[in-house]
Amino acid sequence: MAETGLEPTEAFHYNRKNELKAFDETKSRVKGLVDSGLSKIPTIFINQQYKLERNNLTGFDDDPTLRHEIVKKVGEACERWGFFHVINHGIPLTTLDEMIDGIRRFHEQDKEAKKEFYSRDNSRKVIYNSNFDLYVAEAANWRDTLRDIMIEYSNRVMKLGQTLLELLSEALGLNRSYLEDIGCGEGLLMVGHYYPPCPESDLTLGTGSHTDSGFFTVLLQDQIGGLQVLQQNQWLDVKSIHGALVVNLGDMMQA
């Protein structure tokens, strides 16, 4: 495993168009790069899907030193922030991108096609509505929501969740299986939010300030961003990293 997979990197944030143009204008091709004696390949050549599939969180089981390092980083992130990025988690980029695209396609289809899913009955496996707390919230949020059990993505996230529970258990000084044994990994709720363009974005929010009620949330952001974290009474932007997942502790885990 080449990286710990728990710290954000800058690899996803660069001007790809400019770098492609600069490479093309050298007319030296890849052979020219090799001849120049470079020690690291340019970002345009990095295959992020291959990187994520090759380097995943299951790889540290064979390296006690690396596992100890990751457990330490998870513990520090949870204690200081309650949030951290996970990369090299083993979920292919194609799966992540299809999740985002699938949610967008569902919400942007004809309203008659999705009307049958509109409900506030939480016992249903699939729910599509606007603002689950519409009748009790002080102000409605500018978003529509799809809840669905999406097989491939949910299976992969559940596997990642089991790994995270092990890391959290160890960070707390407990047996590796402790949180799993007491039932922290038994449930899964998937929520797909859609934020349409707003004509008065200075008057409303897509999602108001809140904490999550469960043990922890694994969040897949799109590239638009907008997520913020409250730290020492200051709201800080969470940079969107293509291929990364955001993990945040919930109320039950904090308790």
Side-chain angles (χ1 to χ4, degrees), residues 1 3-4 6 59-73 167 170 176:
M1 182 170 172
E3 299 175 345
T4 63
L6 293 169
F60 58 64
D61 284 334
D62 300 326
D63 189 337
T65 301
L66 181 57
R67 186 180 185 93
H68 176 75
E69 179 185 349
I70 293 177
V71 168
K72 181 180 178 182
K73 290 180 181 293
L167 295 173
E170 293 180 67
R176 182 182 298 187

Side-chain angles (χ1 to χ4, degrees), residues 162-215:
Q162 292 170 352
T163 301
L164 291 171
L165 287 175
E166 290 183 358
L167 295 173
L168 291 168
S169 294
E170 293 180 67
L172 290 168
L174 303 169
N175 292 331
R176 182 182 298 187
S177 64
Y178 181 84
L179 291 175
E180 183 77 21
D181 291 343
I182 65 173
C184 296
E186 292 182 358
L188 172 68
L189 172 65
M190 291 184 61
V191 180
H193 293 313
Y194 177 76
Y195 305 94
C198 181
E200 294 184 293
S201 58
D202 58 330
L203 299 180
T204 187
L205 293 171
T207 299
S209 59
H210 68 283
T211 59
D212 291 343
S213 60
F215 290 102

Side-chain angles (χ1 to χ4, degrees), residues 2 10 27 29 32 61 70 90 127 150 155 167 179-180 197 199 246:
E10 297 300 320
K27 299 182 180 180
R29 301 167 298 163
D61 284 334
I70 293 177
I127 298 175
M150 301 181 182
N155 286 342
L167 295 173
L179 291 175
E180 183 77 21
V246 177

Side-chain angles (χ1 to χ4, degrees), residues 42-61:
T43 308
I44 58 173
F45 293 96
I46 296 177
N47 186 316
Q48 297 297 345
Q49 179 173 338
Y50 170 70
K51 183 178 176 183
L52 288 174
E53 292 176 343
R54 178 172 53 86
N55 301 321
N56 57 72
L57 284 177
T58 60
F60 58 64
D61 284 334

Side-chain angles (χ1 to χ4, degrees), residues 5-136:
L6 293 169
E7 292 184 343
T9 69
E10 297 300 320
F12 300 103
H13 297 276
Y14 72 104
N15 192 317
R16 179 174 176 81
K17 183 177 180 180
N18 286 350
E19 189 168 315
L20 288 169
K21 183 178 179 182
F23 168 71
D24 195 39
E25 289 179 348
T26 66
K27 299 182 180 180
S28 61
R29 301 167 298 163
V30 174
K31 182 63 166 57
L33 295 177
V34 176
D35 293 342
S36 70
L38 83 169
S39 59
K40 294 184 178 181
I41 66 173
T43 308
I44 58 173
F45 293 96
I46 296 177
N47 186 316
Q48 297 297 345
Q49 179 173 338
Y50 170 70
K51 183 178 176 183
L52 288 174
E53 292 176 343
R54 178 172 53 86
N55 301 321
N56 57 72
L57 284 177
T58 60
F60 58 64
D61 284 334
D62 300 326
D63 189 337
T65 301
L66 181 57
R67 186 180 185 93
H68 176 75
E69 179 185 349
I70 293 177
V71 168
K72 181 180 178 182
K73 290 180 181 293
V74 168
E76 291 174 348
C78 291
E79 184 176 358
R80 291 185 56 197
W81 294 87
F83 280 78
F84 55 90
H85 268 120
V86 177
I87 61 174
N88 304 330
H89 39 64
I91 304 178
L93 276 176
T94 52
T95 301
L96 301 181
D97 290 342
E98 177 59 26
M99 272 294 299
I100 294 293
D101 291 341
I103 290 172
R104 183 180 295 111
R105 287 196 305 268
F106 174 87
H107 285 286
E108 293 180 354
Q109 67 181 323
D110 181 82
K111 65 179 181 180
E112 292 299 323
K114 58 191 176 185
K115 182 182 292 185
E116 64 176 295
F117 297 105
Y118 195 94
S119 175
R120 298 195 179 275
D121 179 3
N122 288 325
S123 65
R124 295 179 58 177
K125 287 187 176 182
V126 181
I127 298 175
Y128 159 62
N129 62 33
S130 183
N131 289 267
F132 71 93
D133 56 354
L134 182 66
Y135 293 101
V136 296

